[in-house]
Amino acid sequence: MGRTPDGPLLVLTERLGGHDTFLSGRLDLNGTNIPVRIMTLDDVTVLHPTDPGTVPALRTRWSGTLHLPHGLRPQTAPGDLESAAEAEGRILEALDDAELRYALTFLSEATTREIRGARIAAIVSALPPARGAA
């Protein structure tokens, strides 16, 4: 557990994967319902209670149930990335979940068509070739 001027930060033992970050959820902690903001970063998930007064005194390790009203976030590559990979004979499916998440985030932050094209080229060039492709 960490602390900020706005209240406690509750660090999960395992990173929460497959869900959007910076969304709201609800933590059931020893019968206390605590509304939280979910912050999933590169290697850790942190819960920030939106009402710090609802958090009971905690030890270093605590146990609770996180309720997520949101579904799994889609990890699908956009058509332009898929087309570019196919045209270059590269295997987009070779990326694991974390690598795909990074690639899609990198691509989604492009601010112009030119930057998006350059980022697609960078992603595709890092993919392994398909069998029989040169």
Side-chain angles (χ1 to χ4, degrees):
M1 182 168 94
R3 185 158 286 285
T4 70
D6 295 327
L9 294 176
L10 308 173
V11 181
L12 300 185
T13 305
E14 295 181 27
R15 183 184 179 281
L16 182 64
H19 294 272
D20 285 322
T21 187
F22 302 111
L23 295 176
S24 59
R26 186 174 50 84
L27 178 64
D28 181 359
L29 192 60
N30 300 326
T32 302
N33 183 29
I34 303 168
V36 294
R37 295 282 294 166
I38 303 161
M39 298 176 285
T40 299
L41 308 171
D42 288 343
D43 59 354
V44 67
T45 297
V46 177
L47 306 179
H48 184 255
T50 57
D51 182 4
T54 61
V55 180
L58 297 173
R59 298 183 180 151
T60 303
R61 294 188 68 83
W62 50 273
S63 178
T65 303
L66 180 60
H67 300 275
L68 305 171
H70 319 285
L72 291 175
R73 76 176 158 217
Q75 291 252 38
T76 55
D80 54 351
L81 178 59
E82 287 181 340
S83 296
E86 185 177 334
E88 293 295 320
R90 301 293 181 134
I91 305 172
L92 188 57
E93 294 77 20
L95 297 177
D96 66 24
D97 287 342
E99 292 167 333
L100 181 59
R101 182 179 65 250
Y102 286 125
L104 296 180
T105 299
F106 177 64
L107 187 57
S108 72
E109 292 173 346
T111 56
T112 66
R113 267 197 307 226
E114 292 78 15
I115 292 172
R116 185 175 178 89
R119 290 183 178 194
I120 286 173
I123 293 166
V124 169
S125 70
L127 297 172
R131 288 187 182 186

